[in-house]
Amino acid sequence: MVTDAKMQYMFDETGKRYLDLFGGITTISAGHCHPEVVKAAQEQTEKVTHTTTIYLNNQIAEYAEELAAKLPKDLDVIYFTNSGSEANDLAMMMSRLYTGSFDFLALRNAYHGMSYSMMGVTALNTWKQSVPQGFGVHHAMNPNLYRGPFGADDPEAAHKYANDVKDIIQFACPGKVAGFIAEYIQGVGGSVVLPDGYLKEVYEHVHNAGGLCIADEVQTGFGRLGTHFWGFEKNDVKPDIVTMAKSIGNGTPLAALATSRKIAESISGKLHFNTYGGNPVSCAVGRAVLRVIEKDNLQKNCLERGNQLLAGFDKLKEKHDLIGDVRGHGLMLGVEFVKDRKTKEPATQEFLQIFEDCKNHGLLLGKGGIYGNVMRVKPPMCITAEDVEFTLDVLDQAIAKI
């Protein structure tokens, strides 16, 4: 039972300390209870806690301006929600209203939320209830260079996977689509990184079909990848809509959608409202998170600690045959465990033992992938070099016990 947390550490009811390598499912960015973030929340709570967007409030206006400054120039309309599911819901509705088309594209192995419509866009059976869902949604081949039919040794892999999107548009749709949504790194799906050049080709196919391209930055955004502030920048593409959540609020219910004014006006024909979207306290926290990311050089730390972790995981892979693949960027990493490197049979139960052993030794990990055999590493962005060494040591010992 977690009772306290501070920066990259969590504490149970006995006072035992754990290094948090999952960050509340990629949500803690600045650090648990970061003093500047806590102060911002406290100060705003003493002023006004709730207004709704029917009244002007300085926090929502100033925060929207600061957030837009981090995005491509014309993505300057910000719509605040409470969760990534809500932001993705809105993105889907906007794309359908703006284009006048209904067909919507996503990827297999993707996760975009647990609202009713986003369950239909998500493509992992473990997250889908047995109810009618996904009307008009088409799922393209997952461009997985480790498990997919086209691997890292195929220089045409990105092109071949992108062609599947083109085929779906030509054969499963009326030639026109509303939009396409993708995570640059599939988080829940097991930290699967999209191949270089893939999104650029897919965006071209979608735009040629009249659709909008949506970048789901719920897990990849806010500097977590180290080299770039947003995942779409890593693939050198410009989306029409960007959705964001999790790291945006450091644990506070906060999410947002960014788009152009022209696209945003597509919903102006009817009333649209979000009671808690743009809450003054949440916006004050969001502003503090942006300041901390900049002031504490957290993006740089993500790059440095991420490279340190990747190098360490690669060494563990050389030592332990149970590790089949190491992937990711910055502090959004994945280690896939397999029983056999040739057959790639998932080592689900073996990883579960490693997962529990690490927890018992003060290291909290994430678990993902359709088979539950991928170690997800998405810690608070403030972890240290010493934390990385501790992680590698504990993990090494846990794997050796299998």
Side-chain angles (χ1 to χ4, degrees), residues 307-345:
N307 287 340
Q308 185 184 359
L309 279 165
L310 283 170
F313 292 154
D314 282 334
K315 288 182 180 179
L316 291 180
K317 182 181 177 183
E318 293 175 3
K319 182 178 180 181
H320 302 287
D321 290 340
L322 203 60
I323 296 178
D325 192 36
V326 173
R327 53 186 179 251
H329 298 290
L331 289 181
M332 190 163 179
L333 308 175
V335 177
E336 183 158 355
F337 290 87
V338 294
K339 293 182 179 181
D340 185 290
R341 288 185 177 178
K342 290 184 178 180
T343 65
K344 300 179 184 178
E345 180 183 355

Side-chain angles (χ1 to χ4, degrees), residues 41-62:
Q42 290 174 334
E43 290 180 350
Q44 184 59 42
T45 300
E46 293 174 352
K47 294 179 179 178
V48 58
T49 58
H50 180 69
T51 59
T52 78
T53 51
I54 64 174
Y55 301 112
L56 294 175
N57 177 266
N58 66 298
Q59 291 289 4
I60 186 173
E62 292 169 9

Side-chain angles (χ1 to χ4, degrees), residues 63-81 83-84 86-92 94-95 98 180-181 203 212-218 221-222 229-230 232 238-245 248 254-267 290:
Y63 182 38
E65 187 175 53
E66 292 163 3
L67 202 52
K70 294 288 187 180
L71 290 155
K73 189 174 181 180
D74 60 338
L75 300 184
D76 56 357
V77 176
I78 311 293
Y79 194 108
F80 290 105
T81 65
S83 69
E86 287 184 342
N88 286 335
D89 266 342
L90 182 58
M92 184 187 212
M94 276 186 178
S95 68
Y98 180 77
F180 166 81
I181 188 170
Y203 275 29
L212 301 182
C213 295
I214 303 162
D216 182 335
E217 296 283 347
V218 170
F222 294 88
F229 200 81
W230 305 107
F232 65 81
K238 182 185 175 184
D240 302 294
I241 300 175
V242 178
T243 58
M244 59 200 84
I248 190 176
L254 176 62
L257 174 152
T259 190
S260 67
R261 187 164 303 278
K262 188 176 181 181
I263 294 172
E265 287 175 350
S266 64
I267 65 170
L290 284 182

Side-chain angles (χ1 to χ4, degrees), residues 94-321:
M94 276 186 178
S95 68
R96 284 174 165 168
L97 287 171
Y98 180 77
T99 63
S101 295
F102 187 71
D103 291 80
F104 194 81
L105 308 177
L107 298 177
R108 297 172 198 168
N109 198 56
Y111 178 92
H112 296 289
M114 279 291 97
S115 63
Y116 191 73
S117 64
M118 284 304 108
M119 186 187 297
V121 176
T122 291
L124 290 156
N125 77 75
T126 46
W127 295 92
K128 297 172 81 71
Q129 299 292 341
S130 184
V131 295
Q133 59 182 272
F135 303 109
V137 177
H138 306 273
H139 290 105
M141 189 183 297
N142 177 29
N144 187 332
L145 293 179
Y146 180 65
R147 287 193 171 273
F150 313 118
D153 59 344
D154 184 348
E156 294 293 310
H159 175 68
K160 292 175 180 177
Y161 284 121
N163 270 348
D164 185 58
V165 175
K166 183 179 180 181
D167 284 348
I168 288 175
I169 294 172
Q170 290 182 329
F171 295 100
C173 302
K176 295 289 184 182
V177 297
F180 166 81
I181 188 170
E183 316 154 84
Y184 170 57
I185 299 180
Q186 296 176 325
V188 175
S191 301
V192 175
V193 183
L194 303 190
D196 291 341
Y198 172 77
L199 282 179
K200 183 163 283 191
E201 285 198 41
V202 169
Y203 275 29
E204 183 178 353
H205 295 323
V206 173
H207 284 148
N208 287 341
L212 301 182
C213 295
I214 303 162
D216 182 335
E217 296 283 347
V218 170
Q219 295 194 39
T220 51
F222 294 88
R224 179 167 291 279
L225 301 188
T227 55
H228 298 80
F229 200 81
W230 305 107
F232 65 81
E233 295 174 316
K234 190 90 174 164
N235 228 228
D236 192 28
V237 292
K238 182 185 175 184
D240 302 294
I241 300 175
V242 178
T243 58
M244 59 200 84
K246 293 187 179 286
S247 291
I248 190 176
N250 199 50
T252 298
L254 176 62
L257 174 152
T259 190
S260 67
R261 187 164 303 278
K262 188 176 181 181
I263 294 172
E265 287 175 350
S266 64
I267 65 170
S268 63
K270 300 288 183 179
L271 293 175
H272 194 273
F273 181 68
N274 190 305
T275 300
Y276 297 105
N279 174 272
V281 177
S282 295
C283 286
V285 167
R287 297 181 69 194
V289 169
L290 284 182
R291 292 195 299 270
V292 169
I293 290 174
E294 184 74 24
K295 182 170 64 73
D296 292 358
N297 293 314
L298 294 186
Q299 183 174 331
K300 179 183 178 184
N301 192 60
C302 286
L303 178 63
E304 293 176 349
R305 300 289 73 77
N307 287 340
Q308 185 184 359
L309 279 165
L310 283 170
F313 292 154
D314 282 334
K315 288 182 180 179
L316 291 180
K317 182 181 177 183
E318 293 175 3
K319 182 178 180 181
H320 302 287
D321 290 340

